Amino acid sequence: MSIEAAAETIRSRVGSGGSGLGATVKFDCGADGVVFVDGTASPATVSTTDAPADCTISCSLDTLQSLVAGDLDPTAAFMMGKIKVAGDMGVAMRLSSVL
């Protein structure tokens, strides 16, 4: 799965009704790229454009794929050190609605 495919899956989950995040989130997969979710826009938008975010989740592309597929629980991933959270931890906690 590419970063674009991960973005498309997240986009389908965010939908036109909005994500309920009320914030911006960036999934930073390093050299593989980023997925930026703007939950403040109406409707919410998802892109692969790098931009400043309220919360940044750093992980490998494989980890992001596992999160999006539902094979990896976000809390477990955090506890195992597979994801790192920078910024607003409250936003990260609301991500379960997207993942």
Side-chain angles (χ1 to χ4, degrees):
M1 178 186 287
S2 66
I3 197 75
E4 290 82 13
E8 187 56 41
T9 302
I10 293 170
R11 187 176 295 115
S12 70
R13 295 201 181 147
V14 168
S16 60
S19 62
L21 285 175
T24 55
V25 179
K26 176 170 52 175
F27 294 93
D28 187 349
C29 297
D32 290 318
V34 301
V35 176
F36 182 78
V37 180
D38 186 349
T40 63
S42 183
T45 60
V46 178
S47 71
T48 55
T49 304
D50 195 357
D54 298 319
C55 179
T56 300
I57 310 294
S58 299
C59 62
S60 69
L61 181 56
D62 287 340
T63 298
L64 180 59
Q65 292 168 349
S66 295
L67 289 168
V68 170
D71 297 333
L72 180 61
D73 177 67
T75 304
F78 179 78
M79 297 302 243
M80 291 187 294
K82 291 188 173 210
I83 62 174
K84 303 225 182 306
V85 178
D88 190 338
M89 185 62 88
V91 174
M93 300 302 286
R94 293 193 301 263
L95 280 175
S96 61
S97 67
V98 175
L99 299 175

